[in-house]
Amino acid sequence: GAVVSQHPSRVICKSGTSVKIECRSLDFQATTMFWYRQFPKQSLMLMATSNEGSKATYEQGVEKDKFLINHASLTLSTLTVTSAHPEDSSFYICSARGLAGMNEQFFGPGTRLTVL
Amino acid sequence: KNQVEQSPQSLIILEGKNCTLQCNYTVSPFSNLRWYKQDTGRGPVSLTIMTFSENTKSNGRYTATLDADTKQSSLHITASQLSDSASYICVAEPSTTSGTYKYIFGTGTRLKVLA
């Protein structure tokens, strides 16, 4: 149980285009989802926290207009990187936390974004 | 400031040997201490979770310890295997009434097991 999927697993795009990454909780309802980015040989850095049906809360230094987060249902959150640039190339990981009693974040497998 | 530090930064051992990874945290108030394994290009996978009142937790060949007084934790890997090659991340979760449930991540220890 408690499986989180991400799609796509890898994406390569041209500079200036937008890319959407999906995060799904497959067997539980996720009231809260988290989006992280990870640079090589570094740990995960929290970008934003989203609760179903409300606006995401972004960490300091993360541009909300550049990284659009939508958490429209209890099983799906999306991260859209708008007008991507090479410096946005990174490993993006989502995690999901369920209803009260699920005292843990379950992580997705990650999405490797490469912007040319 | 809430912070988690891990050592060593990287470690190379021979297959079959044991190793211990260290984690120091300055997270207050403290709720849980977790260890994750992250394979290259994959998301983190939970190994152990301990509350402040627990001293040790095992998961197969992985044994985690926690000293809440000194704010230190360790992860001991017994009889290492090639598949243990990965990054091991220590994560402290602050106790919170605001419901944000944010994790404080360590920088990780990169373990390589050689045949």
Side-chain angles (χ1 to χ4, degrees):
Chain A
V3 177
V4 176
S5 70
Q6 283 185 241
H7 178 79
S9 57
R10 290 176 179 270
V11 58
I12 301 173
C13 69
K14 292 182 179 180
S15 185
T17 61
S18 294
V19 174
K20 180 184 284 188
I21 302 170
E22 292 185 349
C23 176
R24 293 182 185 272
S25 56
L26 298 185
D27 50 4
F28 67 100
Q29 293 183 322
T31 52
T32 305
M33 285 187 169
F34 305 83
W35 285 96
Y36 299 87
R37 68 187 298 180
Q38 184 178 32
F39 293 107
K41 298 183 180 180
Q42 295 187 24
S43 195
L44 284 71
M45 182 186 77
L46 180 64
M47 299 174 66
T49 304
S50 73
N51 292 298
E52 185 265 337
S54 61
K55 289 185 178 180
T57 301
Y58 290 82
E59 294 300 298
Q60 194 171 11
V62 178
E63 300 175 58
K64 59 182 65 176
D65 293 332
K66 180 165 186 63
F67 298 100
L68 302 179
I69 292 172
N70 183 281
H71 191 168
S73 79
L74 284 173
T75 59
L76 173 64
S77 176
T78 61
L79 167 67
T80 301
V81 183
T82 63
S83 186
H85 290 285
E87 57 265 31
D88 298 323
S89 298
S90 188
F91 193 52
Y92 292 87
I93 303 174
C94 74
S95 71
R97 187 164 185 141
L99 300 171
M102 290 186 72
N103 186 31
E104 186 168 353
Q105 290 184 33
F106 297 95
F107 290 87
T111 296
R112 171 74 58 192
L113 170 64
T114 302
V115 184
L116 303 177
Chain B
K1 178 183 177 182
N2 288 333
Q3 201 167 340
V4 176
E5 295 182 348
Q6 292 185 242
S7 63
Q9 189 173 24
S10 61
L11 183 61
I12 300 174
I13 62 174
L14 293 176
E15 186 179 16
K17 298 297 185 182
N18 303 335
C19 67
T20 301
L21 313 180
Q22 302 291 343
C23 173
N24 296 330
Y25 63 94
T26 53
V27 173
S28 182
F30 168 75
S31 178
N32 300 299
L33 193 290
R34 304 168 187 266
W35 283 93
Y36 286 87
K37 178 186 179 187
Q38 185 180 22
D39 292 313
T40 300
R42 304 293 293 175
V45 173
S46 178
L47 293 176
T48 63
I49 171 175
M50 291 176 289
T51 65
F52 63 90
S53 62
E54 295 179 287
N55 299 120
T56 186
K57 183 70 68 78
S58 291
N59 177 2
R61 293 181 297 103
Y62 301 102
T63 299
T65 64
L66 175 64
D67 186 332
D69 292 330
T70 62
K71 299 188 186 325
Q72 295 180 325
S73 177
S74 67
L75 180 69
H76 186 75
I77 304 175
T78 304
S80 61
Q81 300 176 359
L82 297 178
S83 59
D84 292 332
S85 296
S87 287
Y88 292 84
I89 305 173
C90 176
V91 176
E93 182 176 9
S95 175
T96 176
T97 56
S98 64
T100 58
Y101 307 117
K102 287 185 183 179
Y103 283 2
I104 310 299
F105 289 84
T107 51
T109 293
R110 283 181 282 114
L111 174 65
K112 187 166 183 63
V113 180
L114 300 178

